[in-house]
Amino acid sequence: MWLPWGNKKMPLRIHDTSSPFSCSSFKDIQHLCTQDSSASSKRNANVFHRVRIVNSLLRSWGPARTGKITDSVSDPSISIPGAEKRVVVYFTSLRVVRSTFEDCKTVRSILHGFRVSIGERNLSMDSRFLNELRGILGQSNLTLPRVFIGGRYMGGAEEIKQLHEIGELKKIVERLPAAEPGTCVVCSGYRFLLCNECNGSRKLYTQKSGFKTCTACNENGLIRCPSCSCAQL
C-alpha cells in the first residue's frame, strides 16, 4: 500500500454552519421563503394602511382649506363698478423690481389661460391707474399685481396662485362670459395709442405762448384706445 506523498498534513475543509443555507434541507428553504413573504406582506399592509389614513385626512381637510383661502382673499366691500363680466388686473411691465415683474407675469399668464375678457391696467404706461387703484383699495403703499374678478377684489399674486393650485380660480372665472376672438383693429391689443395732439412728444407749440405741455395724453405721450373695450374699463 502506497504511503501519501511527503509527510505534510492535508488540511480538512470544515463547513461553515453560520450560514442558514449551508446544510439546510428543502423544507428549511421553503420555511424561510414563507417567512420572508409573510413579513413583506405585513410591511405592505402597514404602508397601505398609512396611505389610506393620509388620504382620508386630506379629504377631510380639503373643503376647510378651500373655504378658508377663498374667504380670506375675497372682500365683498372692495369692488369695481361696471366690471362684473370680466377680469381686471393692475400690473406693471417694468423690470425695476424683478420679483414684482415675475409676479405680474405669472398672474397674467394664469388669467390668460382661461380665455375670458381681461382688462389689463399697466401702471407703467399710465400713472392714473395707480391713483385709481389707491382710491379703490384705500391704501397708499401697494404691491402689484392686484386682481379683480367679476368686479370683486380677489387679492395679489400669492392669493391668485393659491386659488389656481387648488382649482378654485377656475370655478370663479368660469362664471364669466368667454372673450370674443380677435384683437382690437385700432391698437392691435396694446390698449394705447400715440397722442394725436403732440404725436407723443408731450409738447405743443403756439405763437402766443410758445411751447407748452400737452394735457391730452399721459406722461408717456399716450392715450387710451378709444375703440378697445378693455381700455375703456
Side-chain angles (χ1 to χ4, degrees):
M1 186 174 183
W2 293 97
L3 295 175
W5 181 78
N7 295 325
K8 294 182 179 180
K9 296 182 179 180
M10 298 298 293
L12 296 177
R13 292 185 179 181
I14 301 175
H15 291 285
D16 185 9
T17 57
S18 61
S19 175
F21 295 99
S22 59
C23 298
S24 300
S25 62
F26 289 106
K27 291 183 179 181
D28 295 333
I29 295 174
Q30 185 178 5
H31 178 67
L32 290 173
C33 293
T34 305
Q35 288 181 346
D36 292 339
S37 61
S38 61
S40 61
S41 62
K42 288 181 180 179
R43 287 195 297 269
N44 292 333
N46 292 331
V47 170
F48 291 140
H49 180 65
R50 287 196 293 267
V51 170
R52 285 196 297 269
I53 292 176
V54 171
N55 288 333
S56 62
L57 288 175
L58 290 176
R59 284 194 297 268
S60 63
W61 291 346
R65 291 176 59 189
T66 301
K68 183 178 181 181
I69 293 175
T70 305
D71 294 339
S72 63
V73 172
S74 61
D75 189 348
S77 63
I78 303 177
S79 61
I80 299 179
E84 291 78 11
K85 295 183 179 180
R86 65 182 64 203
V87 177
V88 180
V89 53
Y90 290 85
F91 73 101
T92 179
S93 58
L94 294 179
R95 299 174 181 259
V96 177
V97 181
R98 183 177 180 84
S99 59
T100 301
F101 174 78
E102 293 295 335
D103 288 341
C104 293
K105 182 180 178 181
T106 301
V107 169
R108 291 177 62 203
S109 177
I110 292 173
L111 295 175
H112 279 287
F114 295 109
R115 300 187 181 277
V116 296
S117 180
I118 301 176
E120 294 184 325
R121 303 185 177 183
N122 191 346
L123 274 66
S124 61
M125 298 290 288
D126 194 342
S127 61
R128 288 175 291 184
F129 288 143
L130 176 60
N131 298 328
E132 179 180 308
L133 182 60
R134 285 175 175 173
I136 295 173
L137 299 179
Q139 302 175 7
S140 58
N141 297 326
L142 298 173
T143 58
L144 297 176
R146 296 300 177 103
V147 179
F148 296 79
I149 300 179
R152 189 175 64 177
Y153 176 62
M154 300 304 298
E158 292 300 324
E159 290 81 5
I160 296 300
K161 287 189 286 188
Q162 287 180 9
L163 290 172
H164 182 57
E165 289 176 358
I166 65 177
E168 286 298 312
L169 184 62
K170 181 178 180 181
K171 297 178 182 178
I172 298 173
V173 175
E174 281 180 345
R175 305 170 187 171
L176 304 177
E180 296 181 0
T183 58
C184 179
V185 296
V186 178
C187 66
S188 299
Y190 288 102
R191 300 175 175 84
F192 285 92
L193 298 171
L194 282 177
C195 178
N196 295 326
E197 300 291 333
C198 65
N199 294 322
S201 65
R202 293 281 291 146
K203 297 294 183 180
L204 294 175
Y205 178 79
T206 59
Q207 293 182 352
K208 287 186 177 182
S209 57
F211 286 99
K212 64 178 183 180
T213 303
C214 179
T215 58
C217 57
N218 60 20
E219 66 277 6
N220 296 316
L222 302 173
I223 60 173
R224 300 182 189 181
C225 177
S227 62
C228 182
S229 59
C230 294
Q232 292 177 355
L233 274 173

